[in-house]
Amino acid sequence: QDRDPLLGVVLNRKRIGFFRASQIEGELKKVSPRARSRPFAIHSLIRHNADALVSMLKAAGCKSGWYWVHDYSSICTGYTLLRNDVEFCGAPPPTSTACSICVYGALRTEQMKAHEYLFDQLDLTVLAPSDAALDVWKAGISVAAPAKVHEHLTFTSARKEVRKSSSAGQPLRIAYVGQAVSHKGWLAFRELALKFGKDPRYEFHHVGKDPTPGIPVKFTEVAVGPNDLDKMVRTLSALKIDVALLWSLWPETFCIAAAEAIQAGAAVFTFKDSGNVAAMVRKTGFGAIFDSEVELERLFETGDVARLAASKRPSGVVTKFSNMTADFIEGEAA
């Protein structure tokens, strides 16, 4: 790993350029005493060098900050904790047989040591966007640090209504939301679309980026930006999506897509190992959790999926976004 990596610098949302870590460290040493000891937030060490990061923070006089658990890169180089990119591993000890047969096992010890060094050198408080994420993180890492849950958003108003899933004579509309990648459940959605795509009872949608040709799916491009945060919600609502299939294979730390689907009035169908997606469904009742794709497919074959969706769809959902780290800097969060 490069001990003096090249890093991109952004200041007040403006790209300044690319500099070596040593150059940035030198400039930070010039920071006036009034600017020192300010808090900081670390969102990920992926493609970063822990030694260089610690040196830069110390040069700026920074000691205390927050470490966000957006994924599990602090536990393993396979940040989704999918053994060989197939199945959730449960984050066993790095000396386990399970790690020895995984493509990520060889680098896991080095990855964990880098994060242990980070926590040893800095006064970090762990922030997780869900209880599900914090539970997985605590079980998989040995560092001792204060930790708390701070959700990206909360449901401030919601109710469940039993109603027809679709208009009379219309097919049940099932959507995959987001990027078409395997760990997010794209393969499970694709198989359903291939098997039932010509079934008049169903209509399959992919709402996100980059269409995938060759499957009977209606694609709608959506790119959510900072000035249009509810675009996905509006699109799912306009398409009258009944079910959002979010079959994540890894324990999601939060999953904004699930919250957007619920806000749009869709029931969320998910896999038991999907982390906070399953937790969100369990907490709200707006969807269903399945043990296997076989169980899900059986519902589509019998047609019972429409009745289940009708009984689980949300209505009147209002959400409130947090300010993430800023909530703690301003002292507004518990």
Side-chain angles (χ1 to χ4, degrees):
Q1 192 177 42
D2 190 349
R3 294 188 177 277
D4 192 15
L6 190 65
L7 301 171
V9 177
V10 177
L11 180 64
N12 294 330
R13 296 186 179 182
K14 293 183 179 180
R15 295 184 180 181
I16 304 301
F18 291 89
F19 306 90
R20 290 292 175 184
S22 58
Q23 292 176 289
I24 299 172
E25 182 180 339
E27 291 300 314
L28 289 174
K29 286 180 179 178
K30 302 175 185 178
V31 174
S32 67
R34 288 183 301 173
R36 289 176 173 266
S37 299
R38 288 193 175 185
F40 58 88
I42 299 173
H43 289 274
S44 177
L45 268 191
I46 293 177
R47 298 186 183 276
H48 283 272
N49 181 296
D51 294 297
L53 178 58
V54 169
S55 294
M56 286 187 290
L57 288 171
K58 287 185 175 181
C62 297
K63 176 67 175 177
S64 299
W66 296 275
Y67 179 91
W68 277 93
V69 180
H70 295 302
D71 55 39
Y72 304 108
S73 55
S74 54
I75 299 175
C76 184
T77 49
Y79 62 86
T80 59
L81 297 184
L82 293 180
R83 184 183 299 113
N84 295 319
D85 295 325
V86 174
E87 184 179 33
F88 176 49
C89 68
T95 56
S96 67
T97 301
C99 285
S100 69
I101 61 173
C102 179
V103 294
Y104 300 107
L107 292 176
R108 187 181 175 199
T109 299
E110 182 180 340
Q111 182 88 344
M112 294 183 75
K113 284 182 178 179
H115 284 82
E116 288 168 359
Y117 175 75
L118 194 73
F119 279 89
D120 179 64
Q121 294 294 312
L122 302 171
D123 180 16
L124 295 174
T125 296
V126 175
L127 296 179
S130 67
D131 287 302
L134 189 56
D135 288 344
V136 172
W137 187 84
K138 284 183 174 180
I141 198 166
S142 60
V143 300
K148 61 180 67 179
V149 172
H150 191 52
E151 296 183 346
H152 293 324
L153 63 80
T154 54
F155 299 117
T156 60
S157 176
R159 62 182 181 274
K160 184 165 62 179
E161 293 183 352
V162 178
R163 51 181 170 152
K164 292 182 179 179
S165 295
S166 300
S167 303
Q170 295 297 312
L172 185 75
R173 299 178 180 90
I174 305 100
Y176 177 91
V177 183
Q179 188 178 5
V181 290
S182 59
H183 68 273
K184 291 280 188 178
W186 170 255
L187 298 182
F189 174 79
R190 186 187 67 179
E191 290 305 307
L192 280 178
L194 288 172
K195 185 164 186 176
F196 299 102
K198 296 182 179 180
D199 191 321
R201 296 175 296 175
Y202 308 117
E203 183 177 284
F204 292 88
H205 292 257
H206 175 198
V207 186
K209 295 181 180 179
D210 302 324
T212 301
I215 57 174
V217 169
K218 295 185 177 182
F219 176 76
T220 303
E221 184 174 6
V222 172
V224 176
N227 299 319
D228 200 8
L229 292 176
D230 64 344
K231 187 174 183 179
M232 180 62 79
V233 175
R234 296 198 318 271
T235 302
L236 294 173
S237 181
L239 291 171
K240 299 180 180 179
I241 298 301
D242 300 300
V243 174
L245 184 65
L246 302 175
W247 200 265
S248 295
L249 301 177
W250 75 297
E252 294 266 9
T253 57
F254 190 78
C255 191
I256 292 292
E260 290 171 326
I262 289 173
Q263 192 174 355
V268 172
F269 284 7
T270 192
F271 182 47
K272 63 179 177 64
D273 287 341
S274 62
N276 195 53
V277 183
M280 204 180 295
V281 170
R282 199 175 293 114
K283 183 177 179 179
T284 64
F286 300 144
I289 303 167
F290 299 86
D291 290 332
S292 68
E293 291 182 44
V294 173
E295 182 185 2
L296 178 66
E297 188 176 303
R298 190 178 302 120
L299 275 180
F300 276 81
E301 289 175 343
T302 62
D304 290 339
V305 63
R307 184 166 56 253
L308 177 61
S311 68
K312 299 294 186 178
R313 288 188 62 181
S315 179
V317 176
V318 178
T319 59
K320 180 181 179 181
F321 277 92
S322 77
N323 293 313
M324 298 187 68
T325 312
D327 286 333
F328 294 90
I329 294 174
E330 297 168 5
E332 296 175 359

